[in-house]
């Protein structure tokens, strides 16, 4: 590596002070390490500098190791990708549809994410206990993509039950040791790790410890590793050291039931930009933030591990470092037909809430920088005053659907998926219930699945939801239509009996859908 390029990388990390937490960065080309350096402190109390050999929690980067372990067992015939997981975990509650290892590996299982459960639950439980109690799925397996840490909790448990080893023992024996990853472990006791760098977040009063412990991290351990060891892993994938079956399966794109191909594979994302195909994943665990990425066309790999929370944008840094060494192969986004400039008054008439004509899901449109946008979703490109398209696929919104919207004269619109499936949304009239109507929703509601009780009180214009075990948490939900209230990306719908009395509610957020809370008669 030329001194100029090394200096350029140093400059990218120059915002990290020598007396603050920082990052470790390793970079290689065709397996040769070109850059290996750390910035900042590993421990603010002892003033220990962060080193490339410092060990940090890799967070969700572990998922590719879980996927590889599972695939090794599939290759050996000990597991089957398309077998119902109840064969391996018989204590799981019965689901309406079969869930397979493939669904777990690809985040298409519909199993509720334990991190969303823990935010609401009154119980201090490990992730596996929470997942085993969930009786319903967010959606039918294979129909959608939704990131679920729960699926990988189950996969680690399945590996352990089938092999008789803990997941950490299996990963050490079949992955870390054969690949020479001498500073990598999967352990239940990350605080006992040698050469450990602590994690921090910068708060209003300065730096604070941000190491997740016990059930806050799921209770089943952590991948403790270094940036140089993660480069060994990327090289193992590039050279198929795990074998053709495992490597190819790790990198094969997920397909939904409708045939749509996604950018997620198994524990990895495989996307493309102007530099070519990019294989990558990030990780986050409290103040630990990590990224590992590989550009096959250029033979370039990078690993960034930080202990400074969100102070450093590791994704942006990785992209800028790649661009120091790789020339663009294509344009980022090929030019297409220019957007039509829709008059502002017409755009404003499109803004507002809409409800799905069939399943009653809500969707909100807004105007942003003279463009129509979906709240919580993408900006839309205008092709006429009535025709809008989504040109940027986003796996977290409608599973990377490149959909189109066509407005009708009556104000409704038809949303057409990239497979041609059509859905109709109709505009919602402003709903402003009086205080006496709002008061009818008041009461206590319990979810046994989540082990949580909502205490709901009416104000002049909203319903305020309190978690009974944490009453200081206050969630103000606003009415959209009768029996449907929203707060940010959370939705509450109300269930009535045949006499019109409220008997329950359903709660949804991005990782939990239609969780039933029954009204308590007390």
């Amino acid at each position: 590596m030329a001194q100029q390029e090394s200096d350029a990388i140093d400059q990218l990390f120059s915002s990290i002070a020598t007396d603050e937490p920082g990052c470790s960065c390793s970079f290689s080309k065709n397996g040769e390490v070109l850059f290996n350096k750390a910035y900042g402190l590993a421990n603010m109390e002892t003033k220990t500098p962060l080193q490339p050999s410092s060990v940090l929690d890799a967070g969700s980067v572990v998922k590719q190791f879980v996927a590889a372990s599972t695939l090794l067992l599939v290759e050996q015939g000990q597991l089957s990708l398309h077998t119902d997981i109840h064969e391996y975990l018989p204590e799981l509650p019965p689901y309406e549809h079969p869930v397979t290892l493939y669904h777990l590996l690809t985040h298409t299982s519909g199993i509720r994410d334990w991190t969303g459960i823990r935010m609401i639950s009154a119980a201090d439980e490990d992730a596996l206990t929470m997942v085993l109690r969930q009786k319903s799925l967010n959606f039918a397996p294979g129909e959608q993509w939704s990131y679920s840490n729960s699926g990988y909790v189950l996969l680690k448990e399945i590996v352990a039950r089938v092999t008789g080893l803990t997941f950490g023992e299996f990963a050490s024996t079949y992955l870390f040791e054969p690949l020479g990853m001498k500073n990598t472990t999967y352990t239940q006791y990350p605080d006992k790790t040698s050469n450990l760098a602590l994690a921090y977040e910068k708060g209003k009063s300065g730096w604070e410890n941000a190491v997740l412990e016990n059930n806050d991290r799921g209770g089943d351990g952590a991948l403790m590793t270094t940036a140089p060891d993660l480069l060994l892993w990327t090289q193992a994938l590039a050279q198929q050291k795990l074998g053709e079956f495992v490597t190819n399966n790790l990198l094969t794109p997920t397909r939904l039931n409708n045939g749509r191909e996604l950018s997620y594979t198994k524990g990895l994302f495989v996307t493309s930009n102007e530099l070519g195909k990019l294989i990558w994943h990030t990780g986050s665990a409290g103040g630990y933030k990590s990224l590992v990425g590989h550009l096959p066309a250029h033979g370039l790999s990078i690993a960034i591990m930080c202990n400074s929370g969100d102070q450093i944008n590791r994704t942006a840094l990785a992209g800028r470092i790649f661009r120091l060494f790789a020339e663009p192969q294509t344009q980022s986004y090929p030019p297409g037909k220019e957007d039509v400039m829709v008059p502002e008054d017409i755009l404003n008439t499109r803004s507002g809430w809409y409800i799905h004509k069939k399943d009653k899901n809500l969707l909100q449109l807004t105007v942003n920088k003279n463009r129509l946008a979906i709240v919580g979703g993408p900006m839309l490109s205008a092709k006429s005053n009535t025709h809008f398209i989504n040109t940027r696929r986003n796996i977290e919104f409608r599973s990377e659907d490149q959909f189109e919207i066509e407005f009708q004269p009556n104000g409704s619109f038809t949303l057409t998926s990239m497979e041609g499936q059509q859905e109709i949304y109709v505009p919602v009239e402003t709903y402003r219930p009086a205080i006496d109507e709002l008061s009818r929703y008041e009461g206590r509601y319990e979810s046994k699945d989540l082990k949580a009780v909502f205490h709901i009180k009416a104000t002049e214009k909203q319903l305020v939801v309190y978690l009974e075990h944490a009453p200081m948490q206050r969630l103000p939900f606003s009415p959209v239509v009768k029996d449907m209230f929203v707060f940010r990306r959370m939705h509450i719908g109300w269930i009535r009996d045949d006499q019109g009395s409220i008997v329950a509610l359903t709660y949804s957020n991005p990782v939990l859908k239609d969780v039933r809370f029954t009204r308590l008669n007390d």
Side-chain angles (χ1 to χ4, degrees):
M1 175 187 288
Q3 186 63 43
Q4 181 179 359
E5 292 161 334
S6 179
D7 291 344
I9 296 177
D10 284 338
Q11 183 61 35
L12 292 175
F13 287 96
S14 62
S15 63
I16 299 175
T18 56
D19 61 348
E20 294 183 341
C23 297
S24 172
C25 176
S26 295
F27 187 80
S28 67
K29 182 171 185 177
N30 297 325
E32 178 187 356
V33 177
L34 302 180
F35 188 86
N36 196 26
K37 197 169 182 179
Y39 309 83
L41 295 178
N43 187 312
M44 293 192 69
E45 288 69 37
T46 62
K47 306 300 181 184
T48 304
L50 194 66
Q51 302 285 350
S53 58
S54 297
V55 176
L56 294 85
D57 185 340
S60 284
V61 168
V62 72
K63 287 182 171 64
Q64 53 202 282
F65 294 90
V66 176
S69 298
T70 305
L71 291 168
L72 281 171
L73 293 173
V74 171
E75 184 178 29
Q76 294 169 11
Q78 297 189 63
L79 293 174
S80 171
L81 280 178
H82 302 292
T83 294
D84 190 320
I85 59 174
H86 285 84
E87 180 172 319
Y88 310 114
L89 300 170
E91 68 269 42
L92 279 168
Y95 300 134
E96 192 174 341
H97 308 276
V99 176
T100 67
L101 291 181
Y102 180 84
H103 294 136
L104 298 182
L105 287 164
T106 58
H107 294 305
T108 59
S109 69
I111 292 176
R112 295 168 178 167
D113 189 353
W114 72 262
T115 61
I117 299 168
R118 183 163 175 78
M119 291 171 58
I120 297 170
S121 179
D124 183 15
E125 299 173 315
D126 63 80
L128 182 61
T129 299
M130 285 186 276
V131 175
L132 291 176
R133 194 174 58 247
Q134 305 309 305
K135 297 180 180 65
S136 300
L137 302 174
N138 286 336
F139 50 82
E143 290 296 310
Q144 301 177 35
W145 186 95
S146 180
Y147 197 87
S148 175
N149 291 286
S150 298
Y152 277 76
V153 168
L154 296 180
L155 286 166
K156 283 180 278 189
E157 181 67 14
I158 290 169
V159 169
R161 293 193 187 187
V162 167
T163 63
L165 303 172
T166 67
F167 173 75
E169 290 169 341
F170 183 90
S172 291
T173 302
Y174 294 95
L175 297 177
F176 308 149
E177 292 173 9
L179 299 178
M181 299 174 69
K182 297 179 180 180
N183 296 308
T184 300
T185 58
Y186 184 87
T187 175
Q188 295 269 11
Y189 308 103
D191 57 318
K192 307 295 185 185
T193 303
S194 299
N195 209 18
L196 176 67
L198 298 180
Y200 302 87
E201 289 274 11
K202 196 166 190 178
K204 293 181 180 179
S205 58
W207 290 98
E208 302 171 352
N209 184 286
V211 177
L212 296 182
E213 297 179 346
N214 302 322
N215 289 335
D216 284 336
R217 64 175 326 103
D220 68 337
L223 177 68
M224 308 302 295
T225 187
T226 66
D229 267 16
L230 289 179
L231 286 190
L232 293 175
W233 172 252
T234 63
Q235 194 61 24
L237 294 183
Q239 296 178 353
Q240 293 198 346
K241 290 184 178 181
L242 301 177
E244 184 177 345
F245 175 85
V246 173
T247 305
N248 288 347
N249 269 276
L250 275 176
L251 301 179
T252 299
T254 298
R255 283 191 181 273
L256 298 181
N257 293 343
N258 63 8
R260 184 185 306 166
E261 190 174 281
L262 305 180
S263 60
Y264 193 82
T265 59
K266 299 175 184 69
L268 287 162
F269 289 94
V270 179
T271 56
S272 296
N273 61 23
E274 78 279 9
L275 301 179
K277 182 169 74 171
L278 175 63
I279 303 167
W280 63 277
H281 208 286
T282 58
S284 177
Y288 293 111
K289 309 294 177 181
S290 57
L291 175 143
V292 59
H294 178 60
L295 278 173
H298 304 274
L300 300 176
S301 294
I302 192 167
I304 297 175
M305 303 194 75
C306 304
N307 66 338
S308 54
D310 292 318
Q311 294 298 303
I312 299 296
N313 186 336
R314 62 204 185 281
T315 304
L317 283 179
R320 294 174 71 177
I321 293 171
F322 273 142
R323 286 172 177 83
L324 292 173
F325 297 87
E327 291 294 327
Q329 296 184 326
T330 62
Q331 293 178 314
S332 296
Y333 295 97
K337 182 180 177 182
E338 292 292 330
D339 285 1
V340 171
M341 293 300 296
V342 179
E344 186 175 357
D345 59 334
I346 294 180
L347 285 177
N348 288 334
T349 64
R350 312 295 193 204
S351 182
W353 284 100
Y354 295 78
I355 188 167
H356 194 287
K357 195 171 183 180
K358 183 179 179 181
D359 62 24
K360 305 305 179 184
N361 284 337
L362 292 170
L363 185 147
Q364 187 181 16
L365 298 180
T366 189
V367 178
N368 185 358
K369 298 179 181 178
N370 294 318
R371 293 178 64 185
L372 198 62
I374 296 177
V375 177
M379 301 277 282
L380 302 177
S381 297
K383 299 309 171 187
S384 74
N385 287 354
T386 61
H387 187 199
F388 299 81
I389 65 173
N390 172 35
T391 59
R392 304 284 181 90
R393 298 181 67 179
N394 180 352
I395 198 165
E396 293 184 349
F397 187 81
R398 291 183 60 91
S399 307
E400 288 189 306
D401 188 7
Q402 283 187 288
F403 57 88
E404 302 187 10
I405 284 177
E406 183 71 41
F407 282 91
Q408 307 302 321
N410 64 1
S412 66
F413 66 78
T414 300
L415 187 152
T416 305
S417 73
M418 59 195 294
E419 291 81 26
Q421 182 179 356
Q422 294 192 330
E423 307 167 39
I424 298 175
Y425 284 82
V426 297
V428 170
E429 295 183 6
T430 302
Y431 176 61
R432 296 192 179 95
I435 183 67
D436 62 331
E437 187 175 353
L438 286 173
S439 66
R440 295 170 190 162
Y441 296 102
E442 291 186 329
R444 296 171 66 244
Y445 298 78
E446 181 184 30
S447 166
K448 294 188 181 299
D449 280 9
L450 270 55
K451 284 195 175 180
V453 174
F454 284 168
H455 192 181
I456 296 177
K457 294 184 178 180
T459 65
E460 186 177 345
K461 296 181 179 180
Q462 295 175 316
L463 291 175
V464 180
V465 176
Y466 298 89
L467 289 174
E468 194 157 86
H469 67 282
M472 297 303 292
Q473 292 191 35
R474 179 180 181 277
L475 306 176
F477 280 76
S478 299
V480 178
V481 295
K482 184 178 180 179
D483 292 345
M484 299 187 76
F485 290 68
V486 300
F487 172 61
R488 295 177 181 167
R489 298 180 70 188
M490 293 178 274
H491 291 215
I492 284 181
W494 305 88
I495 299 172
R496 297 176 183 265
D497 62 17
D498 293 340
Q499 287 71 47
S501 299
I502 295 170
V503 295
L505 65 82
T506 58
Y507 169 83
S508 299
N509 67 29
V511 294
L512 303 175
K513 185 170 176 61
D514 294 335
V515 180
R516 185 184 176 99
F517 283 70
T518 302
R519 193 172 199 170
L520 300 175
N521 296 317
D522 54 15

